[in-house]
Amino acid sequence: MTAIATEAAAAREADGATIEFRGLRRSFGATVALDGLDLTAHPGELLALLGPSGCGKTTALRMLAGFEHPDSGQVLVDGRDVTRIPAHRRDAGMVFQSYSLFPHLTAVDNVAFGPRMRGVGQAQRRSRAAELLDLVGLPQLADRYPHQMSGGQQQRVALARALALRPRVLLLDEPLSALDAKVRLNLREEIRRLQQELGITTLFVTHDQEEALSMADRVAVLRSGRLEQVDAPEVLYARPATPFVAEFVGTMSRVPATRTGGADGTVEVLGRRMPVTGPVPAEGELDVLVRPEALRVVPDRQGTSRVVTAAFLGAVTRLTVRLEDGTEVKIDIPGHAVSDLPVGSPATVSFPDHPVLVDRRVA
Ligand code: ATP
């Protein structure tokens, strides 16, 4: 059997674990890191924890690893309360942002470290470590020290080390953020492939929305220590539950809107009624939120809008267009349409027919 087949068979035997956070609270002095976090990861899924800096992602992960303890609430693995179980007795493999390999040990000894601590014999742990290095595509680097490896290679070894004890859960804390863009993309795909083949329940902390959307089965968006929304990437993008999620995941433009007065679920934007999804705040000035691909723009000599900037993004070009009321919106157009809409040219913008989110205007 190949290394991956052996691992996958072992993982299937063990079956992915269910992880539950129930009402987790944790404060550090006056800082509330977790404010009643409820979240479940299903067996075998890769669940990304996404959110702005300081929203509690790492604290949640550390509680699952046993490095941190909640003031109240519980952590359950397969229904078993592990909240008070010390880290070394939990069944979790972890990879951190910074290369956390032991500098004085070779790759193979780094990977074999966990099994060694568990009293696994030398021959067995070295063959296991070799298997795992094979799994992460680095069999030829077994005898290298960390300083003789690139960042990407070190993170692969860290991944192999995290998997060495066949953990029930894999915890990844921004494992790619120190790597350059190309290596990061490769490793994203590899981690995902490995995770799916092994069927290991994985929590992945990141503040990079593209990383979360491209890798995860589901993405949990955290805000100020609470869960804002958890959904599959495409749902999160297409149907964000709140303005916070809408603006954190992908790009959104805000356009001033007014209440129509009736209870027909519409607001008025630039003299036109638009259907609304979600609640309309009862007080204050309003904005609607629209995605760059939901707006349409055409060249129009009589148009009241004007192209302000154009940013080439590869498949599309993202225009900034100033509307008649002075609001600037982002609009994606296909590359071939760019020459018809040069910067400074007049245009007409049309809004989507589908319901849009409404939020209170931010000052
Ligand atoms: P980042 O993306 O910046 O890593 P995060 O979402 O992972 O952020 P946490 O590291 O979980 O956030 O931190 C949540 C809050 O708790 C932050 O305000 C942080 O400063 C604070 N915090 C976390 N650990 C400690 C600690 N040991 N002592 C004091 N404050 C802490």
Side-chain angles (χ1 to χ4, degrees), residues 304-319:
T304 50
S305 301
R306 195 163 290 272
V307 180
V308 180
T309 63
F312 176 68
L313 300 180
V316 297
T317 290
R318 180 159 296 173
L319 301 182

Side-chain angles (χ1 to χ4, degrees), residues 200-284:
I200 185 169
T201 311
T202 301
L203 250 55
F204 188 110
V205 163
T206 179
H207 62 262
D208 179 336
Q209 47 139 326
E210 195 188 302
E211 201 163 278
L213 296 180
S214 67
M215 289 177 73
D217 292 297
R218 290 189 307 149
V219 179
V221 180
L222 269 58
R223 178 192 195 185
S224 308
R226 301 178 70 95
L227 179 67
E228 188 85 355
Q229 182 175 4
V230 57
D231 260 312
E234 55 279 14
V235 176
L236 209 62
Y237 188 85
R239 295 197 296 281
T242 65
F244 176 83
V245 174
E247 288 184 300
F248 195 75
V249 176
T251 299
M252 279 287 187
S253 296
R254 285 176 169 263
V255 184
T258 50
R259 293 179 185 79
T260 48
D264 61 349
T266 62
V267 291
E268 200 170 292
V269 181
L270 295 173
R272 182 172 167 271
R273 282 191 178 219
M274 289 190 74
V276 167
T277 180
V280 177
E283 286 170 19

Side-chain angles (χ1 to χ4, degrees), residues 278-342:
V280 177
E283 286 170 19
E285 295 185 299
L286 302 180
D287 284 334
V288 293
L289 305 179
V290 276
R291 295 262 184 232
E293 65 275 18
L295 289 165
R296 296 276 170 270
V297 55
V298 290
D300 179 358
R301 261 190 279 169
Q302 267 79 51
T304 50
S305 301
R306 195 163 290 272
V307 180
V308 180
T309 63
F312 176 68
L313 300 180
V316 297
T317 290
R318 180 159 296 173
L319 301 182
T320 303
V321 178
R322 186 174 302 129
L323 305 178
E324 63 192 55
D325 67 348
T327 308
E328 291 190 356
V329 292
K330 306 283 185 202
I331 310 179
D332 286 352
I333 60 167
H336 63 77
V338 176
S339 55
D340 296 334
L341 287 159

Side-chain angles (χ1 to χ4, degrees), residues 188-206:
R188 249 190 220 174
E189 284 177 20
E190 283 228 12
I191 290 177
R192 180 57 167 155
R193 181 184 60 82
L194 207 64
Q195 185 272 332
Q196 282 182 318
E197 276 167 338
L198 299 180
I200 185 169
T201 311
T202 301
L203 250 55
F204 188 110
V205 163
T206 179

Side-chain angles (χ1 to χ4, degrees), residues 28 31-33 51-60 68 173-174 205 207:
F28 299 98
T31 306
V32 180
S53 182
C55 71
K57 306 179 295 288
T58 296
T59 304
E68 196 65 72
D173 190 358
E174 307 245 7
V205 163
H207 62 262

Side-chain angles (χ1 to χ4, degrees), residues 57-68 87 92-102 110 113 150-163 169-179 184 187 191 202-207 211:
K57 306 179 295 288
T58 296
T59 304
L61 203 71
R62 288 170 57 81
M63 281 187 185
L64 182 54
F67 299 143
E68 196 65 72
M94 194 151 177
V95 179
F96 303 92
Q97 170 183 347
S98 53
Y99 316 129
S100 49
L101 298 179
F102 303 116
N110 261 285
F113 184 81
S150 71
Q153 289 166 340
Q154 289 186 53
Q155 283 306 65
R156 281 167 200 261
V157 175
L159 187 63
R161 189 177 63 174
L163 293 169
V169 297
L170 181 61
L171 309 181
L172 306 173
D173 190 358
E174 307 245 7
L176 308 178
S177 58
L179 305 174
R184 196 156 60 204
L187 212 48
I191 290 177
T202 301
L203 250 55
F204 188 110
V205 163
T206 179
H207 62 262
E211 201 163 278

